[in-house]
Amino acid sequence: MICILLVAGHGTVLETQIKNDDTGLYGHLTGVPKALLPGIGGKKILDFWWETVNMRQLFTEVYLVTNADKYKHFERWATANDFPVENVVNDGSTTLEDQLGAVADLELVIRSRKLQDDIMVIAGDMLCADQNFDIAQVIRFFRSKPGELAIYYELEEGEKSSSRGIVEVCPDTHRITRFLEKPQEGLTASRLASVVFYCLRKNTLPCLSEFLSLQPQAQDRSFGQFWEWLINEKQLHVFGMKLPTGFQLIGQVGLSDYTKWLTHYSAKKQGNPAKPITCRSYARAGLMGNPSDGFHGKTIAMTISNFWAEVTLVESQILVLLPHPLNDPTEFGSLQDLFCISRKEGYLGGLRLLQATCKKFYQFCSKQGIALTKQNFTLKYDTNIPRQVVRISAIVSATLKCLMKFYNITDSDLPKPIRANFILNVETDELFITAGLQDRVVQVYEGLVYMDFSKQLMEERGYGEYVSIDMKNLPTFWLAYLSDPSDSGRIHSNVRQRWLSGEPLVVEAMKTFAELTDQARTALEEGDWTRLAQLMDQNFELRRSVYTDDCLGPGNLKMVQLARQFGSAVKLPGSGGAVVGLCLDQERLVEMRQAFQEAGCVFCTIIPYDPSASAASSQQEPHHD
């Protein structure tokens, strides 16, 4: 592949304003080409792009095309920066009136140097908010697609689409379906702005000459008009790749705009590295319908602030995953100590979850056409979620939140329904953990969530119907768990095989779970807590009939029996080792709490996590009775 840097524009507005500036701040920049003006961190704008593309393993040659008026400036720059002077191409223009136009400048280099290869073209006078994106990732994505590639970014607040080339991109294929050069307001809802950063296949290069023959005037030879013609009229396959950062082409902008964007981007660069990113995800309690989430059923679950997983990301020179001192032990007091810890906690801590999430995140972004910056970080995690309440998805969810913030990945890049699928795929594809979508959905949406995983929805769009339920005036739920956790895999047993084989008992049970969930949603919305308690008991009995007592385990059954002695509704909130209940008699609730504690169980009153509540509520400490 060959890279061509375009710096042939005549920046008359900016150059004139610098020349006439009476503040004395910019006098030293008089006559300096736009691409050689200071960029982020004081580095020349062109220096950044040359450092980015100066990679022999990626590009066989790099060319730079400029005009006759500024040729000597770039010749001197080339000598000082080890850029091959013979690769600086002079287009012969000296003024704005006799300029060739951006597309003609590109075609000049290709024709005069007889280039026959794929081409990457970049505007060398373009400010980039992030100085570390991975250009190799751009090339890999280009080569994975059967067509051309155009880079775009999401407009920042305050940027008008009428000042940019706007692309409409198919989210599934990443093909650009329409290109609009500086569209009028209301013509498109897209906020995705194309920049002068493209990849062209060698077989498409003749289109440049064809376009130029149709546009004899230099002002009509912009790349925006070229892509409009290539995409909208010729219907060529052009794909889009998003860079999660901002760009500003300083071509015909004035001094105030140049200094504004330079200050804005510099401030963002200075503000990001030092500030750690900390994200929490909360444990969940399945109130109804589980475990039918893995069987095209329906469930209701809520996040609880008693238990959380917290991940912290800090930018660093190399990528580091820090083990947790308790959950990822590497030192032991003795062989007996190792034996006791391993027998109780197992061998699988949280470090593998961080690693698997990072791997899957990079894979997802590469596939989705999102070029990540070459920034490294250190990740560490903490959690107070007992294994019995299931901590895995919470750690993965919190890690994903940190990565999205660090790399500026938006909700439109990774929508909530797809995010839940992502978390599940980390567990099932990378770690081979048997799991359903319920936990992942409620941890992404947060709060009290109704979930419909019907086969039709899952097959048609890949995710279910997820509806948030008002959490105001909820009754007091409680949670209890065994001090010795059980294994999720054993609890699920052979039910999946029986369901896949069409066993009537299992198939009908999953349908009934869905029906109970719909009734529970009505009870929650109407505040009918007595009915909700009845449905929770029915949920447990239905699960018991399918999974059998041997599969549920004596510990779980003991907790259920104990709760029922005090007239409380009770069911399993997840895989096993814990129970969730609803006791409407507050005096009996106090007595029940004491009974559970005397039985050696941990008992707590659930504190629902409502995402609409104040930020202070999310920092509440675990509440144990």
Side-chain angles (χ1 to χ4, degrees):
M1 174 171 264
I2 292 170
C3 180
I4 299 176
L5 300 172
L6 302 179
V7 292
H10 295 272
T12 55
V13 176
L14 182 57
E15 188 172 340
T16 300
Q17 291 185 2
I18 288 176
K19 183 178 180 180
N20 296 333
D21 178 64
D22 56 7
T23 66
L25 297 174
Y26 305 102
H28 63 293
L29 300 178
T30 301
V32 175
K34 296 171 297 178
L36 299 184
L37 290 172
I40 312 300
K43 182 187 299 182
K44 293 182 179 68
I45 298 172
L46 185 58
D47 287 351
F48 160 68
W49 290 112
W50 172 228
E51 290 175 10
T52 300
V53 302
N54 186 18
M55 303 176 70
R56 284 291 176 186
Q57 65 270 36
L58 297 180
F59 302 103
T60 56
E61 292 286 352
V62 179
Y63 291 88
L64 183 148
V65 57
T66 183
N67 55 55
D69 188 42
K70 301 298 183 185
Y71 177 80
K72 277 295 180 182
H73 287 272
F74 289 105
E75 185 181 55
R76 186 68 56 83
W77 171 85
T79 303
N81 289 274
D82 198 27
F83 185 95
V85 178
E86 65 274 15
N87 284 5
V88 179
V89 179
N90 186 340
D91 77 355
S93 67
T94 57
T95 66
L96 190 63
E97 286 70 30
D98 70 344
Q99 69 176 339
L100 303 187
V103 178
D105 279 320
L106 174 61
E107 192 271 341
L108 170 65
V109 180
I110 295 170
R111 175 169 43 84
S112 65
R113 301 306 171 97
K114 297 180 173 57
L115 305 183
Q116 294 183 334
D117 200 349
D118 294 341
I119 300 291
M120 175 180 286
V121 55
I122 302 173
D125 58 355
M126 184 166 56
L127 280 173
C128 178
D130 204 317
Q131 304 283 287
N132 296 300
F133 68 83
D134 187 356
I135 203 160
Q137 195 177 6
V138 174
I139 295 174
R140 284 195 297 271
F141 186 72
F142 166 62
R143 288 176 175 160
S144 73
K145 296 296 181 182
E148 322 315 310
L149 179 66
I151 299 298
Y152 65 87
Y153 76 103
E154 193 163 352
L155 290 173
E156 295 192 28
E157 188 176 349
E159 287 189 87
K160 295 182 178 180
S161 58
S162 58
S163 64
R164 298 285 186 274
I166 301 298
V167 294
E168 296 176 353
V169 184
C170 173
D172 298 321
T173 64
H174 313 295
R175 183 178 174 182
I176 297 176
T177 55
R178 191 162 66 137
F179 189 105
L180 299 126
E181 176 67 356
K182 300 178 181 178
Q184 294 180 353
E185 188 174 346
L187 194 57
T188 177
S190 175
R191 296 276 297 167
L192 306 179
S194 171
V195 296
V196 183
F197 192 153
Y198 315 112
C199 293
L200 293 162
R201 298 189 178 278
K202 64 179 180 180
N203 294 336
T204 309
L205 298 183
C207 289
L208 295 170
S209 300
E210 183 183 350
F211 170 76
L212 293 174
S213 68
L214 299 172
Q215 304 292 347
Q217 302 299 318
Q219 63 266 27
D220 298 325
R221 294 176 164 185
S222 70
F223 274 109
Q225 290 160 303
F226 172 72
W227 289 113
E228 271 192 321
W229 171 74
L230 200 69
I231 295 169
N232 304 351
E233 293 185 32
K234 287 188 72 69
Q235 304 260 310
L236 259 66
H237 284 62
V238 179
F239 296 87
M241 185 176 199
K242 180 181 180 182
L243 287 181
T245 187
F247 291 89
Q248 288 299 322
L249 187 63
I250 63 172
Q252 294 301 316
V253 304
L255 181 58
S256 61
D257 285 327
Y258 162 66
T259 55
K260 179 188 74 174
W261 285 110
L262 184 59
T263 302
H264 176 61
Y265 286 169
S266 297
K268 288 176 69 174
K269 178 178 172 61
Q270 293 170 2
N272 284 338
K275 189 175 181 181
I277 297 170
T278 299
C279 296
R280 273 190 177 186
S281 284
Y282 294 89
R284 60 88 192 101
L287 298 183
M288 189 61 56
N290 59 303
S292 72
D293 53 317
F295 305 90
H296 296 308
K298 300 178 182 179
T299 66
I300 294 174
M302 71 175 174
T303 45
I304 60 176
S305 58
N306 306 61
F307 301 109
W308 44 261
E310 185 175 271
V311 174
T312 299
L313 183 154
V314 182
E315 188 170 359
S316 56
Q317 289 296 314
I318 60 173
L319 201 156
V320 180
L321 306 179
L322 295 178
H324 191 278
L326 292 178
N327 300 322
D328 306 290
T330 56
E331 297 182 5
F332 302 90
S334 65
L335 189 59
Q336 181 185 11
D337 183 35
L338 182 150
F339 167 78
C340 293
I341 291 174
S342 302
R343 182 178 63 177
K344 184 175 182 180
E345 302 293 338
Y347 308 102
L348 304 175
L351 204 59
R352 63 183 178 136
L353 306 179
L354 304 185
Q355 185 172 353
T357 307
C358 290
K359 185 249 188 183
K360 201 73 174 178
F361 179 78
Y362 182 86
Q363 181 181 334
F364 172 86
C365 290
S366 297
K367 185 177 179 182
Q368 293 299 116
I370 302 172
L372 302 176
T373 55
K374 292 191 292 186
Q375 292 171 282
N376 285 326
F377 52 83
T378 295
L379 272 181
K380 65 177 181 179
Y381 78 98
D382 191 16
T383 182
N384 71 344
I385 303 177
R387 289 181 61 204
Q388 303 92 311
V389 184
V390 186
R391 63 174 66 152
I392 293 173
S393 58
I395 295 174
V396 174
S397 175
T399 304
L400 179 59
K401 288 179 183 179
C402 283
L403 291 171
M404 290 180 66
K405 284 189 176 182
F406 184 66
Y407 287 108
N408 194 29
I409 303 302
T410 65
D411 285 347
S412 60
D413 298 322
L414 187 49
K416 285 185 176 181
I418 308 304
R419 209 177 307 166
N421 290 352
F422 175 98
I423 296 168
L424 179 62
N425 290 338
V426 169
E427 300 176 47
T428 57
D429 297 351
E430 301 298 322
L431 303 171
F432 308 105
I433 297 170
T434 301
L437 265 171
Q438 172 189 253
D439 298 3
R440 293 86 205 153
V441 171
V442 73
Q443 283 166 340
V444 167
Y445 282 80
E446 299 183 325
L448 182 62
V449 185
Y450 166 89
M451 294 159 270
D452 180 355
F453 303 101
S454 76
K455 183 177 182 181
Q456 181 179 353
L457 287 173
M458 298 300 293
E459 289 181 350
E460 286 180 355
R461 63 187 191 184
Y463 57 89
E465 185 71 25
Y466 311 136
V467 180
S468 295
I469 301 175
D470 191 353
M471 300 184 74
K472 293 185 180 70
N473 304 316
L474 284 177
T476 300
F477 295 95
W478 57 266
L479 181 77
Y481 56 92
L482 301 166
S483 57
D484 185 18
S486 60
D487 187 318
S488 171
R490 287 201 303 268
I491 295 299
H492 284 162
S493 187
N494 66 344
V495 169
R496 173 159 294 279
Q497 288 75 26
R498 293 162 59 195
W499 178 73
L500 289 171
S501 66
E503 182 179 320
L505 174 65
V506 178
V507 172
E508 288 304 313
M510 297 307 163
K511 292 179 181 178
T512 305
F513 277 125
E515 294 168 0
L516 293 177
T517 301
D518 284 333
Q519 295 176 46
R521 177 181 178 180
T522 301
L524 283 163
E525 292 172 342
E526 296 179 353
D528 189 346
W529 311 133
T530 301
R531 179 57 180 154
L532 179 62
Q534 294 171 348
L535 292 166
M536 290 176 70
D537 281 333
Q538 288 180 248
N539 193 114
F540 175 76
E541 290 302 330
L542 180 60
R543 181 169 186 166
R544 187 177 192 175
S545 70
V546 175
Y547 284 83
T548 74
D549 287 359
D550 289 340
C551 192
L552 295 186
N556 291 320
L557 293 174
K558 178 182 176 182
M559 288 191 291
V560 170
Q561 292 165 359
L562 185 58
R564 287 182 170 175
Q565 291 175 16
F566 294 90
S568 176
V570 63
K571 66 180 289 295
L572 304 187
S575 299
V579 291
V580 63
L582 174 57
C583 183
L584 301 176
D585 186 328
Q586 294 303 305
E587 291 184 4
R588 302 297 301 274
L589 177 63
V590 174
E591 297 172 1
M592 181 174 62
R593 176 191 301 123
Q594 295 173 348
F596 267 94
Q597 291 169 340
E598 291 171 2
C601 298
V602 182
F603 187 100
C604 63
T605 301
I606 285 178
I607 306 172
Y609 176 71
D610 186 349
S612 64
S614 66
S617 67
S618 67
Q619 301 300 319
Q620 285 179 305
E621 291 299 316
H623 177 73
H624 286 97
D625 295 306

